[in-house]
Amino acid sequence: MLSVAQPSAERAPSPQEQEWAGPEALCPGWLEDEAPDGEVPEDSGDPGSATHAYELLQSALRQEGLPHTLDRSAEPRTGFGPLDMTVCVLGSPTAFLPVLLEGGTRCPGAMVLCLSPAWASRVPSETSPGAWSLLLSRGVSFQAGGHSTLETFAPPRRANYVTGTFAPGGPESAWVGELARDLDCPTGGSVPLAHRLEDTLVTRRVLAARAALPVPPTLAFVLGAGGDLPAEPVAPGVRVVRLEDPQGQESLVQEEVGAFLGGTAMEPYSQVVVRPAGWRWRGTGARSTHGKAEGAAVAQAVGARLRGLREEDSVLLEALVPTARLPAPPPRSPAPRLPVALRICTLVCRSWGDRPQLCQVACGVGRAEAPVRHGAALPQGLDSSLQQWGVVAPGQRQALATRLRGAAEAAMAALLAAEAELSPQQRGGARAHTDLLGVDFLLACVDDALELVALSANSQRCLETCLLAEAMGRAVGEPHGDLPRLLAEALLHRAQCHLVEGKDILLIGAGGVSKSFVWEAARDYGLRIHLVESDPQHFAAGLVETFLPYDSREHRRDKEHAERVTELVRSRGLRPHACLSYWDDCVVLAALVCQRLGLRGSSPAAVRVAKQKSRTHQHLQRCRRGRPPPAAFAVPCRRLRSHGDVERAAGAVPFPAVAKLEFGAGGVGVRLVENPGQCHAHAARLWRDLRDDADHPGIGLGWGNAMLLMEYVPGTEHDVDLVVFQGRLLGAWVSDNGPTRLPAFLETAACLPSCLPADRQAQLVRAALQCCLACGLRDGVFNVELKLAPSGPRLLEINPRMGGFYLRDWIREVYGPDLLLAAVLVALGLPPVLPARPLPRAHLAGVMCLGSEHGVALGGKEGGGGGGLAALRGLEERGLVRLNRLFEETAGAGEYEEPCLSVACQGATRGEACLRLLGLCQALGIDSPRYPVEHFLSHFK
């Protein structure tokens, strides 16, 4: 925390100079007209011709150096189907223009601007009784390169996501709010939600009570129930007085005002502000400033404001919190320096997984004696503002920026949580949620330390401010910022989530407890799962739309199985939109079923090549085009089906080598062999113990128990999870694995993000992609295991399905996107919208637990009550650890054992995550001389 104990040489500003620093004084770029004091702005709402709005759009495009909108409205567009994405922005052509342009680049034609209520219509929803569908008959669509087109749609185009300019007082807010009311698709805001955001008392109580953010000490007077005022039990710093009738309440008002002015919360402050609050009053400038000692005048001002008070409004008496005054660097000239103040504007969006994400910060600086109203000052960056303020050390500025991010995201999380408790009517529809908001902060001094004081929230003004700052930066050669991209990705992602709702997905193979997340995710995304599963008693039978028991465990007969599964699906009258599998044993069967049903997916031949490990490498060794060619990543190997094959392989594969199951999974039966004798012995044991699926389900024995011998590759081991659509890489994530307990190769530890520098991660991603494409895997979500040797990447194996164990959960937590949803979208023929520049939100480090090593510590059946698992679950409920249960009980035994649990800790840095994990493992007995967790984590540096 930065101390401000050293006094400033500058004089303290007078009460008149400080007046502008109140909660409504400054957020530059808020382009709204100021009403004279006391006047309430009403909604002008003229929904007539779109000509003026269209002209504004052309003017804005010219200013950006972009071509004018091409008018093709005379040639109606047709052919829009249920899988076509439409993100509709209603209202102002300029408020969302950078977002529309970015969205047009990411998904050409998906972003549509509606400038008039005559361009859209509402019809009763076919899927949600009581709701409405928004149909667009005309709109301006955006394509790559900044091109835009005015189009008519026949039949009308159905919106999948709707947002717009809902802010009170705007000329279009009335018709925008009416069109967006009670829709059956996700709606990024509504007029009722905007009204709540623009009500300072409502948001301030939420920020104080739920986000634990400092707010200006506030005394509020409301009538009766106070409209939609949330019933927060305790909101530190905010006291609400409910009046049945403001008439005849003079003594109560005087008593409350006196107690407030003389209270401990007001001790640091010398001045107060009296003003009306509520969405009608935002931007009016209706306020008066008083000294704290002027109790009678303050009470009189409050009483005057109470006259004519509406139930949805309030009167606020609040401390005038001055901006912190820091020791400033010596001035460059002897001229006197005027007192100035700083206000911070933050823009936060609902990002992946409904998590708040800070998009941008803009600051406003103004002279204290001349209050700066909305739109009267140009924004500037946080870092330069803090430097100007006297925060010289880069570390201190970074610490403040980190605190600001946490405060802004906590503010949005609190506001979203309060919003979730509202009824659909209060929100403006069951699907209406705030996806974007601004939060304003003041940098104040509390107890000789800098503190971020939350002033208020808003629905649109911080967006305008931050977009203005973005445009100003580009004008002086600054690179394009992240704001339009982040917002476009958020809107497009929400639209894609709606597109998958109600889709029929044929899922082949349920898997075990490690795939339990599939059923919860299917419910959350609204997927209708039709499950084909070999186990008729599988626990997922009651969690899906249709359960189709069919024994497909003998996968060498997958062609026959595919024919029968197809007949079974058709006999039930099912018409799935997509077919896929997350279970390793069933990927070939799923590809065959896709082929027979005419659904999208990688070809069965490609999946077979990837599924059979020796075939993968031998195929890649023949792929010699490219620089480097895919053959550069292959590893010499030979298939083993008999001891005679071992002898022949020994002459082609150098030792030490790795012997493993040809179709294996989970690292079961993988072993380092130093010579042919060890290979013979390992093969004999494995062929004796693991003959078919009944001996060890889920590790590929339905394909037989053939083995392969491959060259041992030194280096670090990594997983690369890819999302590929039509041969194009859409997303890639690299994770690291810790050292194994040789001679076995069972996974011990992992971390995400990777420790590797960006160029080495890029090598792994390119090698993984080239290997997948060379095998024919052009559509899907794939997991590729590689070693990074001194000479570059070398392939271990390709898993033609989503990464297993903890990977889906970790990638969601660290980066946001959901691999499960991405796989569904690709199978539906839709390119998933993923972060163009993914940045980690945290670091995760995890360790695998084994029943044989940790049964006692975890309190499993073998240990009979160590209590460790119960302790871990308690920590998980508090958000201190992440658990991924892989099996209900110990899977396999001896050298064929699989991990039963993944335990992970999170930290702001990799070192912090590893330190927490090591301490936890030592406390619970997971770390031991036989299972040295510190050694497993030592590679993550």
Side-chain angles (χ1 to χ4, degrees), residues 219 221 239 241 251-267 292 295 298-299 317:
L219 175 65
F221 294 91
R239 173 169 170 74
V241 179
S251 60
L252 175 61
V253 169
Q254 291 176 358
E255 181 181 341
E256 291 287 349
V257 168
F260 176 77
L261 296 177
T264 56
M266 280 296 301
E267 287 179 0
K292 183 173 66 173
V298 172
L317 169 60

Side-chain angles (χ1 to χ4, degrees), residues 612 614 618 636-655 657-660 662 673 675-681 683-684 687 705-710:
Q612 187 173 347
S614 65
Q618 290 164 6
C637 62
R638 291 292 184 273
R639 192 178 190 195
L640 308 178
R641 285 175 291 185
S642 67
H643 287 283
D645 291 338
V646 174
E647 290 297 329
R648 286 185 288 273
V653 178
F655 287 91
V658 178
K660 61 169 76 174
E662 175 81 292
V673 291
N675 51 56
Q678 288 187 7
C679 186
H680 276 292
W687 287 331
N705 65 351
M707 298 176 62
L708 79 154
L709 185 69
M710 67 186 302

Side-chain angles (χ1 to χ4, degrees), residues 464-489:
E464 295 169 350
T465 298
C466 290
L467 287 175
L468 174 60
E470 179 98 0
M472 289 167 54
R474 293 197 306 272
V476 295
E478 289 290 316
H480 286 262
D482 290 332
L483 176 59
R485 176 183 62 82
L486 292 172
L487 298 184
E489 287 174 352

Side-chain angles (χ1 to χ4, degrees), residues 149-174:
T149 307
L150 177 62
E151 299 181 294
T152 55
F153 309 113
R157 186 172 175 178
R158 185 181 302 271
N160 310 120
Y161 177 87
V162 176
T163 190
T165 49
F166 300 111
E172 66 283 323
S173 62

Side-chain angles (χ1 to χ4, degrees), residues 60-98:
L61 291 172
R62 283 195 300 272
Q63 292 179 17
E64 293 290 331
L66 298 173
H68 65 82
T69 301
L70 183 62
D71 187 352
R72 288 183 176 169
S73 57
E75 306 168 4
R77 282 192 64 186
T78 61
F80 289 100
L83 290 177
D84 288 300
M85 184 162 55
T86 302
V87 173
C88 175
V89 176
L90 301 169
S92 168
T94 56
F96 286 90
L97 181 58

Side-chain angles (χ1 to χ4, degrees), residues 507-511 531-538 547-555 558 561 565 583 585-586 589 693:
L507 192 62
I508 310 296
L531 175 63
V532 178
E533 165 57 33
S534 297
D535 179 7
Q537 304 300 320
H538 197 282
F547 184 66
L548 304 170
Y550 175 81
D551 191 352
S552 64
R553 288 175 295 179
E554 179 50 70
H555 287 287
D558 267 355
H561 295 325
V565 168
W583 189 237
D585 277 3
C586 298
L589 177 57
D693 193 69

Side-chain angles (χ1 to χ4, degrees), residues 193 196 210 350 413-424 426-427 432-434:
L193 290 178
R196 290 179 61 84
R210 300 194 182 212
R350 184 199 298 260
L415 290 167
L416 293 183
E419 179 183 293
E421 297 172 0
L422 302 177
S423 67
Q426 290 174 310
R427 293 201 307 271
H433 299 281
T434 299

Side-chain angles (χ1 to χ4, degrees), residues 732-755:
W733 297 270
V734 180
S735 54
D736 301 344
N737 292 332
T740 61
R741 304 165 74 199
L742 295 175
F745 286 90
L746 208 61
E747 184 174 329
T748 58
C751 75
L752 184 76
S754 172
C755 308

